[in-house]
């Protein structure tokens, strides 16, 4: 009797080993290595994209009481900006070919804010990105400066107002936000600076 009980018990153990082999313990991924690996792949592929803060953007749309050709002649003289902006003392070509995309101008002038040495003077290097004399448009970027302008890019578009004696000017910009500064304040100040430059442009164009 005991022999048959022992034999039946051993048979059940053999059947159980067939159903649940010990080799499952050797899988590095657990009992379900394929499933575990798939979850690892999914979790590894889902990564949060770095969020960049929105740009500071501004634009001034106005008209100038001077013909388009005069306004464009002044604006397109990329390294002659000091001729019609009184606050600039120096503007000189420091790289590339004058008037060609890629050329760089170095400007020094008076500033409303103090520079690092305490003087109310500022400097900047600007690169011409685009110049289209046929469509009267240009764009430039600030490469380096001591005014805290980071990633600054400006676009200027001019067109005849329809009268033949005045010009519509659309001057826009965008830049990275300034740490600790309110976006609205930054845009307001830069828009005011652009309006002042357009006013100087008009004065210069009417003298020609």
């Amino acid at each position: 009797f005991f022999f048959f009980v022992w034999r039946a018990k051993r048979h059940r153990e053999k059947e159980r080993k067939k159903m649940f082999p010990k080799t499952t313990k050797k899988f590095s991924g657990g009992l379900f290595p394929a499933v575990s690996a798939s979850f690892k792949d999914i979790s590894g592929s889902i990564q949060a994209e770095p969020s960049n803060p929105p740009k500071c953007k501004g634009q001034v749309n106005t008209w100038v009481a001077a013909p388009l050709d005069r306004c464009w002649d002044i604006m397109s003289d990329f390294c002659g900006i000091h001729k019609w902006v009184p606050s600039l003392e120096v503007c000189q070509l420091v790289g590339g070919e004058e008037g060609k995309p890629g050329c760089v101008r170095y400007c020094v002038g008076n500033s409303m804010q103090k520079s690092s040495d305490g003087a109310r003077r500022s400097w900047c290097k600007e690169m011409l990105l685009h110049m289209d004399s046929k469509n009267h448009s240009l764009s430039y970027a600030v490469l380096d400066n001591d005014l805290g302008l980071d990633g600054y890019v400006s676009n200027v578009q001019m067109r005849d107002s329809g009268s033949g004696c005045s010009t519509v000017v659309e001057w826009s910009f965008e830049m990275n936000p300034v740490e600790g500064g309110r976006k609205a304040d930054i845009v307001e100040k830069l828009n005011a600076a652009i309006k002042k430059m357009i006013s100087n442009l008009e004065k210069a164009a009417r003298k020609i």
Side-chain angles (χ1 to χ4, degrees):
F1 174 81
F2 290 105
F3 172 78
F4 288 105
V5 171
W6 172 82
R7 185 175 182 180
K9 183 177 180 181
R10 185 166 182 176
H11 177 73
R12 287 195 300 270
E13 288 178 355
K14 288 182 178 180
E15 291 297 319
R16 186 167 58 251
K17 288 180 180 180
K18 291 180 180 180
M19 296 177 64
F20 304 100
K22 293 182 179 181
T23 54
T24 55
K25 294 182 181 180
K26 296 181 181 180
F27 291 143
S28 58
L31 290 175
F32 307 99
V35 176
S36 300
S38 64
F39 274 108
K40 288 180 181 178
D41 293 340
I42 293 173
S43 63
S45 63
I46 301 176
Q47 298 178 356
E49 293 291 334
S51 57
N52 297 320
K55 298 275 189 177
C56 294
K57 297 182 179 181
Q59 183 168 339
V60 174
N61 299 327
T62 188
W63 64 277
V64 172
L68 174 60
D69 57 347
R70 293 186 188 177
C71 294
W72 180 249
D73 284 345
I74 295 171
M75 178 61 70
S76 60
D77 183 7
F78 190 64
C79 292
I81 189 173
H82 62 299
K83 299 175 184 177
W84 54 277
V85 178
S87 61
L88 289 179
E89 302 171 7
V90 176
C91 180
Q92 60 187 29
L93 181 70
V94 294
E97 183 180 350
E98 163 63 21
K100 302 293 184 181
C103 72
V104 178
R105 67 186 179 190
Y106 173 71
C107 302
V108 179
N110 298 325
S111 174
M112 293 300 294
Q113 71 180 57
K114 293 182 179 180
S115 58
S116 57
D117 61 359
R120 291 189 178 278
R121 302 177 78 249
S122 61
W123 62 271
C124 67
K125 285 184 178 181
E126 299 173 336
M127 174 184 285
L128 182 64
L129 303 176
H130 163 81
M131 174 82 77
D132 185 346
S133 294
K134 182 179 180 180
N135 294 305
H136 306 98
S137 66
L138 65 81
S139 61
Y140 64 91
V142 174
L143 301 180
D144 198 6
N145 67 102
D146 65 348
L147 293 173
L149 301 178
D150 180 37
Y152 182 95
V153 177
S154 198
N155 298 279
V156 181
Q157 175 70 61
M158 294 181 171
R159 68 176 186 274
D160 184 79
S161 65
S163 66
C165 57
S166 61
T167 303
V168 175
V169 180
E170 299 175 359
W171 195 321
S172 62
F173 74 88
E174 69 174 34
M175 61 172 287
N176 296 327
V178 178
E179 185 176 356
R182 292 182 65 248
K183 186 184 298 185
D185 293 339
I186 296 170
V187 172
E188 182 180 1
K189 289 181 179 180
L190 291 177
N191 277 347
I194 290 174
K195 290 178 182 178
K196 182 64 176 177
M197 292 183 71
I198 294 176
S199 176
N200 290 328
L201 172 68
E202 181 178 41
K203 292 177 183 178
R206 296 184 69 176
K207 290 179 179 179
I208 299 176

